[in-house]
Amino acid sequence: MSYWNRPVDDLIDAIKKENLWRAYIITEPKSGEVMASHPVIQSVADAVAADTRDYRGHEGCFFEIGRESDHLLSAHVHWTMRGQAAGGVRYWSYDQVEDFVRDGLRLSRGMGQKNALAGLWWGGGKGVVARRKGLDHRDSEVRRAVYLDYGRFMTGLCGCYVTAEDAGTMPDDMVVLFSKTRHTTCIPQTLGGSGNPSVLTATGVVVAMEAALEHLGRGSLEGKTVVMQGLGNVSLYMVKELVERKVAKIVGADINQTMIDRVKQMFPDAPLDARLVPAGDVTIFGEAGDVFAPNAVGAILNPQTIPMLNTPIVCGAANNQLEDPDRDDDALFARDILYVPDFLANRMGIVNCANEQYGSIERDPAIYAHLERETPTGIYRRCMEVFARASSSGRTPADEASDLADELSQELHPVWGNRGQQIIDDLVGGGWAENEPIR
Ligand code: NAD
């Protein structure tokens, strides 16, 4: 039986029926062959091996059934030449195993690309936990069990993947997770972590907007109009940055009145036209302006919304803005819209937390350097490098950024080499998948 198109719960039941708790799919480093730990996961391994969109030679995908939560936990490791895999853990609903695994494959590669372009010595990783049907994922006891299990899972993986916060995971969850493992970042400041990254993410995206405007010969942000989808945490601080840069107008839409009230209260003098819209409303895409900033959710640029766009630049904070990366990138290019790939513009979230173990400094120069125009690996210079490559090759900035990121992802960590792969080899050799989860 193939589990690829079956519900996640079916895979959980099948693994348990074999008296197992763990399974993995790895790419054998020498042969490049995709291997499954057990026959029960073979159909998923076969589907991964046959995929050419999201599977890109990932070093490993690890699965564990949480003892306390009975959830399917996963960790996806793309490449670890630059360092251990790093990226957040997503707690989300998935209809079938394919969606669950694809999200892990796609997002772990995306994190690797973001880390490499940012010059961080980290590889690409992502955690994905499937919400259990019939359980309230907001219930504090359910969440506590999930994140205790996820922390134990991280400890069992010995650091080939180092987790962090992501969609569906809250700061309080990170406290629970941190109680069971050291292989995490994004822990609260009260426990020595880095805290809320939204302020820096907003500044980073604004720096990318400036690079895009300059590349098109349109000058600075002064006097410009910025259109935003979403008025949440990143947009809140983006409004502040844009006001400081003397924009003429900001048009924003959100589905939540509380968010609109908050931004209006905090910045009463901002030239902000903020609108409440019903979920699914796309009128904001047609607003005229200089930059459109997708700051809400992913997959919003698609055949319906791209023809509506009325700005020469798209540059925002949301991850995976293109519903279909190839189709929608081409459509933006055909419309002569400069699309700044999210993994180029929104790096400050991971920059803020990735190196927590090196301690913290007020206005940390290691972090703020990413926002400086002079820094070769900073956001501004990286954007300019990618735009220049795209202009001379006639390809899209997303294609150029992706190739550059893949090149950089293969640089070996100067001290630890390909440590992540060594850890995976050791886990596999040590019978990780036969062992019971850590209690
Ligand atoms: P957030 O949840 O605080 O804000 C998102 C806002 O979008 C919310 O106010 C929500 O009501 C609104 N929204 C959702 N769907 C909408 C729709 N269809 N139309 C209009 N508004 C809608 O999230 P955030 O922290 O501001 O992050 C924004 C995006 O950037 C997210 O996709 C996030 O994954 C990404 N991101 C954030 C960071 C960070 O540091 N916070 C870093 C990297 C990427």
Side-chain angles (χ1 to χ4, degrees), residues 399-439:
D399 282 342
E400 288 296 343
S402 183
D403 284 1
L404 177 61
D406 282 347
E407 258 169 57
L408 295 167
S409 294
Q410 292 177 64
E411 282 181 359
L412 267 189
H413 190 290
V415 178
W416 290 95
N418 198 355
R419 175 82 164 178
Q421 182 67 63
Q422 289 170 7
I423 296 173
I424 292 174
D425 293 346
D426 197 55
L427 292 172
V428 170
W432 176 85
E434 311 304 329
N435 300 333
E436 289 210 356
I438 293 170
R439 282 172 196 269

Side-chain angles (χ1 to χ4, degrees), residues 128-291:
V128 186
V129 178
R131 288 179 188 157
R132 264 303 213 170
K133 298 240 180 317
L135 278 183
D136 182 359
H137 67 270
R138 287 158 299 196
D139 181 89
S140 60
E141 285 310 306
V142 170
R143 298 186 78 87
R144 187 175 158 73
V146 166
Y147 289 96
L148 286 173
D149 278 342
Y150 204 81
R152 297 176 181 118
F153 177 46
M154 288 296 94
T155 295
L157 286 177
C158 297
C160 64
Y161 163 57
V162 176
T163 196
E165 200 177 319
D166 193 62
T169 298
M170 309 291 172
D172 286 351
D173 302 324
M174 296 309 294
V175 176
V176 176
L177 196 155
F178 183 53
S179 71
K180 292 291 169 194
T181 192
R182 64 175 299 143
H183 301 307
T184 187
T185 61
C186 264
I187 56 173
Q189 276 174 314
T190 47
L191 296 172
S194 52
N196 181 2
S198 305
V199 185
L200 287 163
T201 299
T203 314
V205 176
V206 169
V207 169
M209 285 178 187
E210 291 178 322
L213 284 166
E214 283 177 36
H215 173 71
L216 294 184
R218 299 175 77 96
S220 71
L221 275 162
E222 188 170 346
K224 300 291 190 301
T225 296
V226 176
V227 182
M228 284 178 195
Q229 187 189 35
L231 289 168
N233 290 315
V234 173
S235 289
L236 180 73
Y237 298 107
M238 194 178 280
V239 167
K240 175 173 179 286
E241 291 286 333
L242 294 174
V243 168
E244 281 170 13
R245 285 164 173 79
K246 301 190 173 58
V247 293
K249 195 173 170 195
I250 303 166
V251 184
D254 203 291
I255 53 173
N256 185 339
Q257 185 64 45
T258 314
M259 302 312 236
I260 294 175
D261 294 344
R262 183 177 67 159
V263 66
K264 279 184 168 169
Q265 256 165 26
M266 277 181 71
F267 305 108
D269 300 327
L272 174 65
D273 171 4
R275 304 165 189 172
L276 179 68
V277 293
D281 182 274
V282 290
T283 49
I284 192 73
F285 290 87
E287 281 297 326
D290 298 278
V291 182

